[in-house]
Amino acid sequence: MTKLEDQRSISFPVQGMTCASCVSHVENALMELPGVSDVVVNLGTNKASLSFDPTLASITDFQHAISDAGYSVPTQETNLHVSGMTCASCVDHVERALNELPGVTGATVNLGLEKARVQYIPEVVTASQMKRAVRDVGYEAVEQDTAVDNLDRERKVREDEIRRQGRNLIIAGTIGVLVMIGTFYDMLGPFQSIVPKFLSYKWVLGLLTTPIVFGPGRQFFVNSWRGLKHGVTDMNLLYATGIGASYGIAVINTLFPNAGFGGEGATFFESAALLTAFIVLGRWLEALTRGRTSEAIRKLMKLQPKVANIIRNGHEISIPADEVETGDLIAVRPGESIPVDGLVQDGYSAVDESMLTGESLPVEKKAGDPVIGGTINKTGAFKFVATKVGKDSALAQIIKLVEDAQASKAPIQKLADWVAGHFILGVHLLAVLVFIFWFFIGYDLFFDAGSRFILSPFALGDIGVFGFSLLLSVTVLVISCPCAVGLATPSAMMTGTGKAAEFGVLFKGAEAIEKASKIQTIVFDKTGTLTKGEPSVTDIVTNPDDNVPDKSQQMKIVRFTAIAEQNSEHPLGEAIVRGANTNDLDLSAPEWFNSIPGHGVEAKIEGISVLVGNRKLMSERSIDFRALMSQAEKLETEGKTVMFVALDGQPAGLIAVADTLKETSVEAIRRLRQMKLETVMITGDNRRTAEAIARQVGIDQVLAEVLPQDKAEEVKKLQALGKRVAMVGDGVNDAPALAQAEVGIAIGSGTDVAKETGDVILIKSDLNDVIVALEVARATMNKVKQNLFWAFIYNTLGIPLAAGFLYPALRLVVSPEVASAFMAISSVSVTLNTLLLKGFSPSTQRKGKNTGQGTVTANQFSASTTSSD
Amino acid sequence: METENLEKEIARKSAIVYLAITAIMALLFFVITGLMGTYPMVARIGGVMWISLLTLIVSMPLVISYMKKKVKGTKRN
């Protein structure tokens, strides 16, 4: 029986209601839930209010019920900057604390970015409640948005952390070295004369170690206790028990040498001091790494210009860039940044877009061309009209996409976090077992006073059963710490996504990187992906019976045909007009023009009768094209559309038109095949045309005559064969196929990236960027695996050694400080290994782009024409 | 307020359980080392302290999360 005081009232928004019956549906759906009463749904305010018993129902239940009824509860997203997290288990604690809040529908925490992305229902939970929940489990949280000011604040927080840990390192490192020198005084040989003797006194070592443990080491005790109070364990606990035990025993053995804890021979002050120093070193390195891996976002944000020169009432005035409105006219001078997205209205210049698209050469801009905010004007001056500002701008969209990708979690990371989270408890349990074994069994059986520490000249001496068992137990705790695991995956993912963005390749999440690295088959949509998506003139064949120079006859045929087709809206006609324009041919108006639907056109040009059309038209007009027929058939076999041209009733030549391959298609496919990937082309074209294109480009398999709506089905069929498939296509038209594939790659989206479906977005229309995407994905995943190896290898090798597995045979013991050094090396290895990824360069950049190989382009047609001579 | 009370109840019940487990482990260790008769008192006390600390560390998170589930589950039913 629920007491009345246990009831809670709540009000939340409901989306999708249009009439009174919707209200009734929502009310009924909510009323059916156990523990729910007083349901009131208001259509005017689009809100539902109710009372409920929190032990019987939750906001998630309401969400599901409303969703099942066909409506939705809108959610919002906020980002919190969470500081104080040090390891994978911290991530787990923060995520759990946030997810447990009523109203939070999902929370993902990224250790590397120190960021929590929270989806929540507004009016049910607030940001301040989220921050409080994070603080309650022992961390600090501040709200974060994407503004530059916040970036600065985040950077300041990070810099403060680097400075704090740096200061701790200086204190612990400097004093730790003194403690080490004092401890090893007897072994200093000739250097003994320059080291004061008192440094080796145990009480001096104790005095030196105390400020390390209670200064730089204090953070571990405070943080671990905070966590323990809430039932959570993290890396701090391992450090605290390791440092605390070493220091505590050392103090007892110094103050009470006869207490039986090993006496003066077992004062591990140097262990406590160096252990702290090494852990702080690891923390400092981690703080440095985190700052560096999110550099990609910072670089992108720095591109956002601060000022725009807009023209109002004929006067140019400078205003903050974020105050520019759509429709404003903006002036840009050489060397200035373009403040927002827009269309050039007047002027001419070259713009460096490399920072956003990866395109190395400046792009020419003239009236009507789009410009992107954040890019840099190089040579000329121009004016443009703002079309997209604020969060709609290309730069803002790209930043959002990269941020989202960096904040997401790859499946491999979820596994690593889970392992690390459970590892700490397991390690403490292991420490208990190790202690019990050596206390009750091992010491009596195997202890030898002559045993030595690994990498140390010291012998253990006459240490008692408790001291010896404690020593091994503490060493197990310290050496087991998987502190680098938390950084291993996110640091590589952040660097990988940032690196990809530099080349105009945007991954939508860490999962996309992981999946892209495992792709076996890559399916290309033909039109607009492998080809340019618009037909162009590929061949011009002249009649061998005409006794005029071939070149001039070709130009004459093209010119006359283009004039005849000028008024035609047929794509083939448009291709010929484009071809003529590219070759600067003079296109006057025809004296007379007639369109012959389904067949072609006829016109009178400069007194000559011109007839352009298909074979049937020529046959009907009794024009004999037998001399050119074999050429026509050959061109058709190559998948080209042939147009017959007759002048004054005589066969003059042929013009072949085809959707041409992009300059980079052949090279890209060749590289993909080198990467041992199976390449497939999918198209609605007939098989003959499709196979002709596939032959030119070097594709392995052709899926021809596939209707647009069936493309996803074809991808499914490939997947059913056990292949991991990536689909490359237009992000809008090929959306179902992109969604069906393991990895959907949307190509040539330009900078309107928010509209795109697909897991990977290529800003340029360059197929080489598919290779960049796959290479970045593979390099990143290799780095993740290497990092996980470095993070775990020391623990895996160290635990048996520290637990004394080899002691019976070798009489060697690992000292806690050596164990902590191993742990620090683990962090250093991961950090350095990740930084190596920053030097990654895709093969397409290393070897230089091979453009034009085996391809025919529209503006090159005059060089590739053929003649029947 | 209600959540706070619930949290307090969980914390109180958990503390009783993990402190009891810790005490049992410590007592067990002390008794066994006493029965064996070969261990000096200092080693026995040191051992009790170390075992208690580690047992507390291991049992606290396990018991607290178990209690959270149990108390919330009971309320729900």
Side-chain angles (χ1 to χ4, degrees), chain A residues 5-6 54-56 228 231 233 237 241 245 259 261 425 428-429 431-432 435-436 439-440 465-466 470 473-474, chain B residues 2-3 29 32-33 36 39 42-44 46-47 50-51 53-54 57-58 60-62 64 68 72 75-77:
Chain A
E5 58 264 33
D6 288 339
T55 59
L56 294 177
L228 264 182
T233 51
L237 193 58
T241 38
F261 283 4
L425 262 191
H428 277 91
L429 208 57
V432 176
F435 181 81
I436 288 173
F439 193 92
F440 289 108
V465 61
F466 171 67
L470 181 68
S473 185
V474 168
Chain B
E2 194 181 302
T3 317
F29 185 88
I32 291 171
T33 50
M36 292 176 81
Y39 294 101
V42 196
R44 290 175 68 198
W50 186 240
I51 288 289
L53 180 67
L54 291 183
I57 287 171
V58 171
M60 266 179 92
L62 292 177
I64 291 173
K68 270 185 185 170
K72 285 181 180 171
K75 287 268 176 189
R76 203 166 283 241
N77 296 324

Side-chain angles (χ1 to χ4, degrees), chain A residues 781-861:
Chain A
M781 285 316 293
N782 279 341
K783 204 51 76 182
V784 166
K785 286 172 192 163
Q786 287 166 13
N787 279 354
L788 288 175
F789 171 82
W790 288 118
F792 276 115
I793 187 69
Y794 297 103
N795 308 116
T796 314
L797 295 178
I799 290 171
L801 213 60
F805 273 33
L806 299 179
Y807 182 80
L810 303 174
R811 297 290 189 268
L812 284 172
V813 178
V814 182
S815 63
E817 63 263 35
V818 169
S820 63
F822 273 2
M823 202 191 57
I825 291 170
S826 161
S827 291
V828 173
S829 310
V830 167
T831 306
L832 293 179
N833 196 40
T834 298
L835 291 179
L836 287 178
L837 192 58
K838 283 180 171 287
F840 169 81
S841 172
S843 64
T844 50
Q845 301 283 319
R846 285 196 299 269
K847 292 169 189 169
K849 289 180 186 178
N850 187 354
T851 54
Q853 185 184 7
T855 62
V856 182
T857 64
N859 56 7
Q860 290 171 326
F861 79 78

Side-chain angles (χ1 to χ4, degrees), chain A residues 639-659:
Chain A
K640 296 166 183 170
T641 304
V642 179
M643 298 171 81
F644 295 78
V645 184
L647 301 179
D648 280 337
Q650 295 302 311
L654 307 171
I655 296 180
V657 173
D659 185 5

Side-chain angles (χ1 to χ4, degrees), chain A residues 695-777:
Chain A
R695 262 196 309 277
Q696 284 179 53
V697 78
I699 286 271
D700 295 318
Q701 193 189 339
V702 178
L703 301 171
E705 294 163 31
V706 180
L707 296 172
Q709 61 269 30
D710 294 338
K711 285 180 183 173
E713 197 53 41
E714 292 297 326
V715 171
K716 215 182 220 175
K717 281 180 192 167
L718 289 168
Q719 288 170 321
L721 298 173
K723 295 170 180 175
R724 288 188 292 270
V725 180
M727 168 82 198
V728 186
D730 181 297
V732 179
N733 298 330
D734 297 322
L738 293 182
Q740 176 60 40
E742 266 86 2
V743 180
I745 303 176
I747 190 166
S749 58
T751 46
D752 200 2
V753 295
K755 279 185 186 169
E756 295 298 335
T757 52
D759 310 290
V760 186
I761 291 168
L762 311 181
I763 294 179
K764 284 178 289 168
S765 203
D766 188 343
L767 270 191
N768 277 315
D769 287 347
V770 175
I771 296 155
V772 174
L774 297 181
E775 285 184 348
V776 167

Side-chain angles (χ1 to χ4, degrees), chain A residues 33 57-66 99 101-105 121:
Chain A
L33 293 171
S58 68
I59 185 73
T60 317
D61 299 330
F62 308 151
Q63 239 187 326
H64 288 157
I66 289 172
N99 279 316
L101 283 174
V104 170
T105 55
I121 301 168

